[in-house]
Amino acid sequence: MSTNESRVDQRSGHIYWTNMGQDFDSPDGTIERCDLDGTNRKVLIGSGQIVTPKQLALSGGHLHWCDREGMAVMRARCDGGI
């Protein structure tokens, strides 16, 4: 089951979204972004770092989200850095 949500940042020209992954017991979720025209897709957070990212918010140059099954509130820069 894959559920996602998205946020648009007109100023930076990016769309950000979450992917909950396929298995609620595995850290296979991602947060991704692309340009407003759909090009330059990039995985910002993934590779075993999050399980089920939800409630994505943009604020002050950072992404904020909750990882429901990972039981955490997390934050990263909009480029994926910490």
Side-chain angles (χ1 to χ4, degrees), residues 7 9 11 16 31 44 56-65 74-82:
R7 296 291 176 259
D9 185 353
R11 193 171 76 191
Y16 299 89
I31 296 179
L44 300 176
L56 183 65
L58 289 165
S59 176
H62 287 88
L63 297 166
H64 304 265
W65 68 93
M74 305 173 97
R75 174 180 104 157
R77 290 191 318 255
C78 288
D79 64 1
I82 296 175

Side-chain angles (χ1 to χ4, degrees), residues 31-49:
I31 296 179
E32 302 182 36
R33 87 167 183 214
C34 68
D35 294 345
L36 292 176
D37 65 2
T39 61
N40 297 316
R41 183 175 177 175
K42 180 179 179 183
V43 175
L44 300 176
I45 310 293
S47 302
Q49 296 175 356

Side-chain angles (χ1 to χ4, degrees), residues 4-72:
N4 60 42
E5 62 181 62
S6 63
R7 296 291 176 259
V8 176
D9 185 353
Q10 293 284 342
R11 193 171 76 191
S12 72
H14 293 116
I15 302 169
Y16 299 89
W17 69 94
T18 64
N19 292 304
M20 288 179 51
Q22 299 298 315
D23 184 355
F24 292 140
D25 294 325
S26 298
D28 61 350
T30 63
I31 296 179
E32 302 182 36
R33 87 167 183 214
C34 68
D35 294 345
L36 292 176
D37 65 2
T39 61
N40 297 316
R41 183 175 177 175
K42 180 179 179 183
V43 175
L44 300 176
I45 310 293
S47 302
Q49 296 175 356
I50 52 179
V51 181
T52 52
K54 297 297 287 176
Q55 295 86 32
L56 183 65
L58 289 165
S59 176
H62 287 88
L63 297 166
H64 304 265
W65 68 93
C66 295
D67 187 348
R68 188 174 65 200
E69 271 67 43
M71 298 185 352

